[in-house]
Structures are given as structure tokens and as C-alpha cells.
Amino acid sequence: MKNKILTISLLACTLSLITATSIKAETNSQASTTGTASTYKAGPWQPVARFDNPQGFVRVQILNKTKTPLQYSLSTGDALNAQIPVGGIATLTTNSLPSYVLIYNQNQAPLKYNVTAKGNSAIVTVEQASTTTGAGDTTLNLQQSGGIYVY
């Protein structure tokens, strides 16, 4: 009889510990989904800018602040292999997203894109990158969600 009581007591105690642990774990996981994680860091998976209404036409202006002419192309439409002179500006307009804008120079020097957006217009200032290693920035990714990414 003592063994039966001892076994039942031990089972009841174990069951209460398991229940308490599951409730505590559930509460902790709920708390971590209610706000921005303390481990958040910006990175290439984050858009650098955003169009307000990507369902309409979007406009991208490219400003050449390098010391060489730039080539650019749009993956949708007919603006293929166009050139931007030193100090020049090119304007692309499209309503076909997603789309990619490729910007490069003939000497293949690394480039740096600085992107700002307001409404459905984005301005991309292209400068010579300060790094001498790597390809630098080569592509703008214009997403259907309105996000503008730089690769």
C-alpha cells in the first residue's frame, strides 16, 4: 500500500512539474513575438527605400557622380544598354514590377548606390566606391511590394 501511495505521489509531482514548464515556455515564446527582437540588425535583406504605391507607375532617376560614363539597363521595358554621361541624369519609368536596374561602368570599378525615395519616385546617386575589392553595388531590385533593394 505504501508503494502505491508513493508511486501516485511521485506521478502527481512529476505531472505538475511538466505542466508548469510547458506553461512557462508558452508564455516566453508569446512574449518574444510581440515586438521587435533585441537581436534585429539591418542587412541586405532589408529594403533601402520603398515606393508608396507600387501598383502604379514608378520612376527611378539615376545621377552619375562618378568620373566615367555609366551603362544601365532595365530588365523590363526597352531601356536597354543606355548610357549616362559623367554628371548626367537618366530617368526610368515602369509599371512592370518586379524589375531590376543594372548599372555599371566600362572599367568595372566598384560602384556605390545611395537611394532615396519619396512617393513613387526614387533617386539613385551613383558614386565610385571607396573599396578596391569586390564588385560594389551592381543591381537595384524593384519589388512588387514597393521595396527597393541594392545588390
Side-chain angles (χ1 to χ4, degrees):
M1 182 74 169
K2 282 186 179 180
N3 272 347
K4 190 174 187 180
I5 292 174
L6 187 59
T7 304
I8 291 173
S9 297
L10 187 58
L11 278 172
C13 190
T14 303
L15 193 59
S16 68
L17 285 174
I18 291 171
T19 305
T21 303
S22 340
I23 291 171
K24 183 178 179 186
E26 193 172 297
T27 304
N28 286 342
S29 68
Q30 288 171 345
S32 68
T33 61
T34 58
T36 302
S38 61
T39 57
Y40 170 83
K41 292 188 184 200
W45 57 88
Q46 302 291 334
V48 295
R50 187 171 291 282
F51 294 117
D52 286 347
N53 180 16
Q55 287 72 35
F57 280 91
V58 297
R59 184 175 85 169
V60 177
Q61 284 189 312
I62 305 167
L63 309 174
N64 182 358
K65 298 291 185 182
T66 69
K67 296 177 183 175
T68 61
L70 297 175
Q71 301 277 107
Y72 71 95
S73 62
L74 183 65
S75 65
T76 57
D78 58 1
L80 297 175
N81 296 320
Q83 210 173 55
I84 310 169
V86 174
I89 299 172
T91 302
L92 304 169
T93 304
T94 186
N95 66 345
S96 181
L97 299 180
S99 190
Y100 297 88
V101 180
L102 308 172
I103 307 169
Y104 51 95
N105 56 21
Q106 293 294 336
N107 63 4
Q108 299 179 356
L111 302 174
K112 169 96 176 106
Y113 301 168
N114 296 308
V115 183
T116 59
K118 185 174 182 180
N120 268 14
S121 294
I123 298 174
V124 182
T125 304
V126 182
E127 299 174 319
Q128 191 77 38
S130 58
T131 181
T132 57
T133 60
D137 298 336
T138 60
T139 307
L140 286 174
N141 179 349
L142 312 177
Q143 286 290 308
Q144 289 174 317
S145 64
I148 303 170
Y149 296 83
V150 173
Y151 305 121

